[in-house]
Amino acid sequence: MSRKQTKYIFVTGGVLSGVGKGITAASLANILKSRGLKVNIQKCDPYLNTDAGTLNPTEHGEVFVTADGAETDLDLGHYERFLNQELDQSSSLMSGKILKQVIDDERSGKYLGKTVQIIPHVTDVIQDKIEAAGSGYDVHFVEIGGTVGDYEGLSFVEAIREFKSRVGRENVLYVHVVYLPYIGASKEVKTKPAQNAVRTLRGYGISPDILVARSEEPAGESILNKLSMYTDIPLDGISIVPTLESVYEVPLHIGGLADYAMNKLKIKSRKRDGRAWREMVKTSLDTSLPRLKVGVVAKYLEHEDTYMSVFEALKAAAWGENMQVDIVWIDSEEIEKKLPLETLESLDGIVVPGGFGSRGVEGKIAAASWAMENKLPYLGLCLGMQVAVIALARENIDKSANSVEFDPETKAPVISLMNDQHEVVETGGTMRLGNWECHLAEDTRARKLYNAKVVSERHRHRYEFNNNYRKELTEAGMVISGLSADGQLVELIELENHPFFMASQFHPEFTSRPGAPNPLFKGFVQSIKSVQNNK
Ligand code: GLN
């Protein structure tokens, strides 16, 4: 029996990048999933890197980590949140990975003496990887990073053009996401760049079926008509998407496009279940809800998206409690200069997220110590656990306690490399990545919040809690509430006699979803809520 044919929806961009291709792809996938279809989604990035692990977050935003340990572009975070679905490494495809495979195949003689070329060899590998990721699903979405016409992205564009011959044109749909600029002087939304972008795509042999036009200013019917006229796409296949309060609103705006796409691909809804999503969006927009103010203490980075998943997890947890969260980015280097820390007094809680390198780390240690002493709810994420351990050790064991990452010569290396416990050496690509089991101790806040004995959470770090200090630190009041399966790695700590002080070696933000916040974030917000209610 032949397997059911997967339908493929390709999402490309024109005019400029960064206008919401990822959100468009995720939103269409969200709608189709809510209609009972089994969907998958994949991002193709034209970088020569093999994964996002080595990309600087200052330039690219957060590195998102999948359960199977792939270091990926932050769009995968959107995908997981919009789909409420775990993705794997096949959802992230970078040019470097493709070229490496082609070169390795050439070296091992797989091409039997043929001339190895971009077309067909590179484009074939791309198509194989797309087809493999889509296999077994009703619909597979593929987003092509960058803008059509970029020199470096052309092999992906050619691959997706050829793909319709591979699987049949009735099984493929192309969505082009473009930008409509606004000219202030004449108060006009212009369509010319969008028209040209469609023409460019046609120049590469792809005729878009659907056009999504992002417009920051309201654009009326005349613009829609004009777009349809010049691009030859029927009105039903075009949507002008304004700038919305929340990205989660986008699926509510493009339902019509999903109808159109399903019609064209001849697929039928199996159910309609968008209610929970609509409710979540309604809560997210409700400005009358009580507010909480959370400080995220991190070193100053220019890219707002560096802590995308942390911010989204805080929002999701707040909405779950019918609250709104105001997130204040606190520059940890500023804290270092300004000690003591009155600046933290106005906050309802502190989050210290993940990070690398020593810049600003003293400010983070100070913030953890302040939260400890002043009984301010604290959530530490990866580095946030390490600085909490350092703060506690400085108070109770040795004033110079540190992580060997920041002071290799420290007398009290409470955070260190644990070579004997698992293969960690200090070179690139050797981090503890992806899902690891965490066994939760009885009678702890962690056990109560997760309501489970064993959970799996995602990792991305090199250093670990140093077991030589377990005894002294537990005597000082630290509760080890989560350990790895072999009991050797400290995964989660908490403090008793504190409204909420929890810190994990893993990254709970990666598994948090709107409508289903991770238990640690949920507990953090709940503790703030109960402090507020008792005031
Ligand atoms: N720099 C720390 C380590 O490598 C923490 C990493 C992180 O926060 N993701 O262990």
Side-chain angles (χ1 to χ4, degrees):
M1 206 179 76
S2 73
R3 189 197 272 279
K4 179 181 56 155
Q5 173 61 53
T6 305
K7 306 281 181 176
Y8 292 84
I9 299 184
F10 293 104
V11 181
T12 52
V15 182
L16 11 127
S17 67
V19 293
K21 267 191 322 285
I23 298 292
T24 302
S27 297
L28 283 170
N30 166 295
I31 303 171
L32 265 51
K33 185 168 178 182
S34 77
R35 295 181 182 179
L37 297 162
K38 207 173 156 213
V39 302
N40 196 16
I41 185 161
Q42 184 177 33
K43 168 103 192 249
C44 296
D45 263 314
Y47 306 127
L48 291 182
N49 306 65
T50 48
D51 64 34
T54 51
L55 290 176
N56 183 346
T58 325
E59 274 173 50
H60 291 274
E62 166 184 280
V63 175
F64 186 81
V65 181
T66 56
D68 64 349
E71 299 176 273
T72 73
D73 182 89
L74 55 77
D75 266 318
L76 262 80
H78 289 310
Y79 298 167
E80 287 208 359
R81 287 186 288 271
F82 273 71
L83 287 181
N84 190 14
Q85 180 173 314
E86 209 168 78
L87 303 175
D88 62 27
Q89 54 174 313
S90 69
S91 282
S92 173
L93 194 55
M94 290 201 179
S95 293
K97 208 193 248 177
I98 315 262
L99 295 179
K100 187 166 184 306
Q101 176 168 336
V102 171
I103 291 167
D104 287 348
D105 285 350
E106 186 268 339
R107 289 291 83 186
S108 64
K110 204 180 140 203
Y111 293 112
L112 304 171
K114 282 207 195 81
T115 311
V116 183
Q117 293 175 295
I118 299 279
I119 305 172
H121 301 107
V122 169
T123 47
D124 276 355
V125 173
I126 295 173
Q127 293 183 68
D128 292 347
K129 296 216 182 281
I130 290 174
E131 196 170 6
S135 158
Y137 290 90
D138 295 317
V139 184
H140 182 48
F141 284 81
V142 183
E143 177 195 348
I144 309 296
T147 307
V148 171
D150 296 347
Y151 190 72
E152 53 187 14
L154 293 181
S155 29
F156 284 116
V157 175
E158 171 61 14
I160 65 169
R161 183 193 71 77
E162 290 175 16
F163 200 80
K164 72 175 177 307
S165 316
R166 180 188 278 226
V167 297
R169 61 185 62 241
E170 68 284 7
N171 298 316
V172 170
L173 201 85
Y174 298 100
V175 180
H176 204 38
V177 181
V178 295
Y179 181 69
L180 304 177
Y182 176 77
I183 306 298
S186 56
K187 298 195 172 50
E188 266 183 304
V189 171
K190 307 296 273 183
T191 64
K192 186 76 77 193
Q195 296 172 34
N196 286 336
V198 170
R199 196 169 299 141
T200 305
L201 185 61
R202 288 218 169 94
Y204 293 110
I206 295 176
S207 253
D209 301 281
I210 286 179
L211 189 70
V212 175
R214 280 275 294 107
S215 177
E216 283 167 282
E217 294 296 324
E221 212 161 307
S222 64
I223 299 290
L224 202 63
N225 289 332
K226 207 165 168 184
L227 284 170
S228 175
M229 217 255 310
Y230 282 105
T231 61
D232 241 2
I233 300 174
L235 286 171
D236 291 348
I238 305 180
S239 181
I240 297 176
V241 180
T243 301
L244 299 164
E245 274 297 308
S246 143
V247 289
Y248 301 120
E249 277 183 85
V250 178
L252 309 184
H253 275 260
I254 57 173
L257 287 187
D259 295 336
Y260 183 81
M262 289 173 71
N263 229 339
K264 281 213 106 175
L265 290 169
K266 298 194 173 51
I267 36 181
K268 290 207 168 55
S269 298
R270 300 205 182 108
K271 59 168 187 178
R272 275 192 188 247
D273 186 14
R275 219 180 56 215
W277 191 269
R278 277 197 301 278
E279 286 298 314
M280 180 273 292
V281 171
K282 212 168 118 202
T283 311
S284 78
L285 300 175
D286 186 348
T287 50
S288 71
L289 296 176
R291 308 191 79 86
L292 59 132
K293 191 168 162 193
V294 173
V296 172
V297 181
K299 66 184 163 195
Y300 175 74
L301 293 167
E302 274 161 351
H303 208 299
E304 267 186 37
D305 295 343
T306 312
Y307 295 110
M308 170 86 77
S309 294
V310 176
F311 289 7
E312 293 308 316
L314 283 169
K315 290 187 214 163
W319 299 334
E321 300 303 316
N322 278 313
M323 297 181 91
Q324 295 293 356
V325 60
D326 295 315
I327 299 170
V328 199
W329 187 310
I330 299 176
D331 178 355
S332 53
E333 284 176 291
E334 283 300 311
I335 297 190
E336 281 172 17
K337 285 184 222 148
K338 274 199 206 122
L339 291 166
L341 307 173
E342 281 86 24
T343 35
L344 305 180
E345 251 159 31
S346 68
L347 301 172
D348 296 313
I350 291 181
V351 172
V352 175
F356 293 84
S358 58
R359 181 160 69 88
V361 81
E362 286 300 324
K364 298 177 196 177
I365 297 168
S369 157
W370 199 88
M372 228 175 256
E373 277 161 31
N374 293 280
K375 307 255 185 260
L376 191 68
Y378 176 91
L379 180 62
L381 313 168
C382 204
L383 179 64
M385 181 189 105
Q386 300 177 351
V387 296
V389 169
I390 296 169
L392 198 65
R394 285 189 183 174
E395 190 66 37
N396 294 283
I397 301 174
D398 186 328
K399 283 204 163 26
S400 67
N402 215 332
S403 161
V404 298
E405 179 179 8
F406 315 125
D407 179 7
E409 307 301 328
T410 175
K411 283 205 303 314
V414 286
I415 305 292
S416 63
L417 291 172
M418 306 293 270
N419 292 325
D420 50 335
Q421 275 140 10
H422 63 131
E423 281 300 301
V424 182
V425 280
E426 207 173 355
T427 51
T430 53
M431 281 193 273
R432 184 146 81 102
L433 285 170
N435 264 7
W436 280 64
E437 270 186 10
C438 172
H439 291 244
L440 301 170
E442 262 174 70
D443 299 325
T444 56
R445 195 192 283 268
R447 180 78 165 257
K448 218 196 266 146
L449 284 176
Y450 278 99
N451 193 21
K453 281 188 190 156
V454 183
V455 293
S456 282
E457 292 279 12
R458 301 184 196 174
H459 290 253
R460 181 171 186 258
H461 60 101
R462 192 167 285 130
Y463 297 88
E464 304 282 355
F465 180 92
N466 184 343
N467 288 333
N468 297 335
Y469 291 91
R470 268 199 206 184
K471 188 159 171 285
E472 276 171 283
L473 283 168
T474 31
E475 279 164 10
M478 183 183 92
V479 176
I480 299 177
S481 45
L483 286 171
S484 57
D486 62 3
Q488 289 305 303
L489 302 170
V490 172
E491 293 282 10
L492 192 54
I493 61 160
E494 57 189 67
L495 294 183
E496 281 170 346
N497 306 321
H498 191 289
F500 188 97
F501 195 103
M502 298 195 73
S504 61
Q505 190 55 79
F506 50 80
H507 288 275
E509 68 271 27
F510 293 144
T511 47
S512 209
R513 313 268 166 82
N518 178 287
L520 295 184
F521 280 91
K522 189 171 169 179
F524 175 66
V525 169
Q526 281 173 340
S527 75
I528 294 175
K529 191 177 179 180
S530 72
V531 172
Q532 281 188 350
N533 288 346
N534 292 331
K535 261 185 193 158

